[in-house]
Amino acid sequence: MFEGIPVDVGLVHVGERIRKNDMYVELGGPSVQEKFELVKVRKPGEIHDGAITIIGPDLAEMEEGMKYPLGILVEIAGPELEEDIEGVIERRIHEYTNYIEGLMHLNQRYDIWVRVSKKAYAKGFTTLAFVGNVLIALLKNELPLIEQIQVTFFTDQEKISARYAEAMAAYEARDARARGLTDDDVDVFYGCALCQSFAPSHVCVITPQRYANCGAISWFDGRAAARIDPKGPIFPISKGECLDPVKGEYSGINESAKKRSLGTVHRIYLYSAFACPHTSCGCFEGIAFYIPEVEGFGIVMRGYKDVTVNGLPFSTMADSTAGGRQVDGFHGISLEYMRSPRFLAADGGYARIAWMPYDLREQMREFIPADLFSRIATEKDVRTVSELRDFLSTHVHPVMERWKAEESELPEGVNGAVQVLSGGDFPVMAGGFKIIFKNARITADRVIFEPIQPKKPGTGV
């Protein structure tokens, strides 16, 4: 199937990470503003089956160590294909390109990030046409409904910009369609296991009001995928009994999560970032992170390049959030979930959001309650948690009610201690043992950090 491709192609390579020092070139990624991958259903006469086109410099024409823009357009045709399948095929691009030895594909839609390794290039992987060959072969093999397919790669920035608006409009049209449906309107949710190669215990649950963390698969996409590929990675989940309508806990989801995670995950809350939050893979579009000093949440998206109000960049928090874990107070989310009425509903919704980047706040203006919009701080207002608390006080943010509640619970004569640690799993080494605090919240009146001085050789001191 893959004759002529100079590197191996197979499931064994899924999950391969290519570090910067091992990279020949990077395509897309955080430093490139406009990039996309888009699937469109066409009429049979509109495409040339098997055609692979590269518009812009190919791999052999790129300079080692440099970064380039990327757009991927996959056009498919077949009498039984419907537009509902487009988002599902887009997500398969992520899966199938990762079968290629020496190629790393991360994220989706307008966030794609691709790296080609030096070893792969040295073996002769010098053209994106090889990627097109793999996509065509695997998509036709796995989805027989596709009778014709052509693939176009864009590496010229001007050509990408011309197509970028089309891609963004297509994503928005799909997302808007799903907004008219509620979780109470359906009897079946959907699960996605596409990211389990990266995060074995992750089970993504897709409902009308809670998009996939990657932002690429809606409830309608899940339904279409499960119909055309019943044995595929996207599958139906019976809702079962609603155990908690506020937190969004369902017996069917719990049973599916336990089975799919091999017993690692037993309970999932769809609408809360605490106790049993939805697991996070690594392809999430953003992170909701708890800020204990203000009893509120911050939101940061993948493209944000500065440090957040808690002093950490997206990349650091992503490492702590990903991997299929349930980390109390750290929650992988999609942009579309932020548009949902069920967004962190059990935790207070937008009334609990204290900080987010300015551009994101503007993007969500239509979905943030008008009386809360100006009370949510951005990087233009504050830079530290201390400044954030002052901002929230000045703007009378709803989280202040939680401060009053905490103060009233303190015993008489006891000063409020400063919270120094909170969250999910925190390992501490002591006496040769590794101690892990589960869902811990630790407070102290004073914290002292002292450097450990090395002993002088031969003195014992």
Side-chain angles (χ1 to χ4, degrees), residues 192-444:
C192 178
L194 278 170
C195 290
Q196 283 201 321
S197 55
F198 295 90
S201 59
H202 173 57
V203 183
C204 197
V205 181
I206 305 162
T207 81
Q209 293 181 293
R210 199 188 189 292
Y211 241 65
N213 285 352
C214 65
I217 303 177
S218 71
W219 184 86
F220 287 105
D221 296 332
R223 183 178 66 175
R227 284 177 177 175
I228 68 168
D229 188 11
K231 296 183 179 179
I234 298 178
F235 50 91
I237 299 175
S238 174
K239 290 172 67 172
E241 180 185 356
C242 181
L243 304 176
D244 191 323
V246 176
K247 294 177 180 176
E249 183 180 12
Y250 294 85
S251 62
I253 290 178
N254 289 345
E255 291 168 10
S256 176
K258 185 175 181 180
K259 176 183 177 181
R260 294 278 175 170
S261 69
L262 299 180
T264 302
V265 178
H266 293 260
R267 299 176 69 185
I268 289 179
Y269 295 161
L270 293 177
Y271 318 133
S272 176
F274 293 121
C276 303
H278 189 289
T279 58
S280 301
C281 54
C283 292
F284 41 74
E285 292 188 285
I287 301 170
F289 58 95
Y290 178 56
I291 308 172
E293 295 88 344
V294 300
E295 281 286 351
F297 281 90
I299 306 289
V300 62
M301 307 312 286
R302 186 175 296 278
Y304 187 69
K305 296 180 174 60
D306 201 352
V307 295
T308 66
V309 72
N310 66 4
L312 299 175
F314 175 89
S315 58
T316 299
M317 286 192 282
D319 288 341
S320 301
T321 306
R325 291 168 289 179
Q326 289 180 295
V327 183
D328 201 27
F330 285 84
H331 197 41
I333 60 172
S334 66
L335 275 171
E336 193 59 28
Y337 180 42
M338 292 183 67
R339 299 182 176 107
S340 168
R342 296 287 179 90
F343 173 58
L344 296 180
D347 305 326
Y350 276 106
R352 197 75 181 275
I353 305 303
W355 181 93
M356 67 173 67
Y358 177 84
D359 289 345
L360 176 63
R361 192 180 69 170
E362 288 299 315
Q363 189 175 0
M364 290 294 126
R365 179 184 284 271
E366 179 185 347
F367 301 92
I368 299 173
D371 63 325
L372 292 174
F373 186 84
S374 62
R375 301 184 191 186
I376 299 174
T378 74
E379 77 279 13
K380 294 187 177 184
D381 302 307
V382 303
R383 302 296 297 181
T384 67
V385 170
S386 177
E387 291 177 0
L388 176 61
R389 190 175 177 95
D390 291 341
F391 177 95
L392 299 176
S393 296
T394 302
H395 290 74
V396 195
H397 193 288
V399 294
M400 292 179 62
E401 295 299 319
R402 297 177 181 273
W403 305 351
K404 297 174 183 177
E406 279 202 347
E407 290 170 1
S408 66
E409 292 173 1
L410 289 173
E412 187 176 349
V414 176
N415 293 324
V418 177
Q419 186 165 317
V420 297
L421 187 64
S422 71
D425 299 356
F426 289 92
V428 176
M429 300 302 296
F433 293 93
K434 184 178 182 181
I435 304 171
I436 299 178
F437 293 92
K438 292 281 189 178
N439 300 324
R441 179 181 291 186
I442 299 174
T443 60

Side-chain angles (χ1 to χ4, degrees), residues 14-266:
V14 175
E16 177 183 4
R17 286 288 189 264
I18 298 173
R19 303 302 176 187
K20 188 174 182 179
N21 291 338
D22 301 320
M23 173 191 87
Y24 181 74
V25 292
E26 179 174 288
L27 304 164
S31 61
V32 176
Q33 185 173 0
E34 292 182 342
K35 61 266 184 183
F36 69 87
E37 56 188 17
L38 179 68
V39 171
K40 296 298 292 182
V41 173
R42 307 293 192 194
K43 295 178 181 179
E46 295 177 342
I47 64 176
H48 181 203
D49 188 33
I52 300 172
T53 307
I54 300 163
I55 300 177
D58 203 349
L59 296 178
E61 302 167 285
M62 296 179 181
E63 184 179 346
E64 181 176 341
M66 299 301 289
K67 301 175 182 180
Y68 294 85
L70 178 65
I72 304 174
L73 175 63
V74 178
E75 296 167 284
I76 56 177
E80 297 183 52
L81 291 176
E82 298 178 356
E83 288 187 359
D84 280 356
I85 198 64
E86 291 175 347
V88 178
I89 303 298
E90 278 172 17
R91 198 63 185 129
R92 295 290 178 94
I93 295 174
H94 169 72
E95 179 184 12
Y96 294 152
T97 52
N98 276 303
Y99 282 21
I100 302 172
E101 178 189 9
L103 188 142
M104 179 187 77
H105 180 292
L106 298 176
N107 311 329
Q108 63 292 312
R109 283 190 173 185
Y110 41 75
D111 268 339
I112 56 172
W113 186 0
V114 175
R115 280 180 174 176
V116 178
S117 73
K118 294 177 182 178
K119 289 183 178 179
Y121 188 82
K123 287 182 178 181
F125 197 87
T126 58
T127 174
L128 290 170
F130 293 138
V131 181
N133 288 331
V134 170
L135 286 175
I136 290 172
L138 289 176
L139 286 170
K140 279 193 169 184
N141 183 66
E142 295 293 326
L143 300 170
L145 293 178
I146 299 176
E147 294 185 357
Q148 296 179 337
I149 181 170
Q150 70 179 25
V151 181
T152 306
F153 296 96
F154 301 87
T155 60
D156 179 276
Q157 186 59 63
E158 288 187 8
K159 299 297 184 181
I160 290 174
S161 295
R163 292 278 188 168
Y164 184 73
E166 176 190 351
M168 295 299 289
Y171 306 147
E172 172 59 23
R174 293 180 206 152
D175 296 345
R177 181 188 177 201
R179 289 175 204 151
L181 202 61
T182 74
D183 289 355
D184 296 329
D185 292 335
V186 300
D187 295 323
V188 176
F189 295 150
Y190 292 93
C192 178
L194 278 170
C195 290
Q196 283 201 321
S197 55
F198 295 90
S201 59
H202 173 57
V203 183
C204 197
V205 181
I206 305 162
T207 81
Q209 293 181 293
R210 199 188 189 292
Y211 241 65
N213 285 352
C214 65
I217 303 177
S218 71
W219 184 86
F220 287 105
D221 296 332
R223 183 178 66 175
R227 284 177 177 175
I228 68 168
D229 188 11
K231 296 183 179 179
I234 298 178
F235 50 91
I237 299 175
S238 174
K239 290 172 67 172
E241 180 185 356
C242 181
L243 304 176
D244 191 323
V246 176
K247 294 177 180 176
E249 183 180 12
Y250 294 85
S251 62
I253 290 178
N254 289 345
E255 291 168 10
S256 176
K258 185 175 181 180
K259 176 183 177 181
R260 294 278 175 170
S261 69
L262 299 180
T264 302
V265 178
H266 293 260

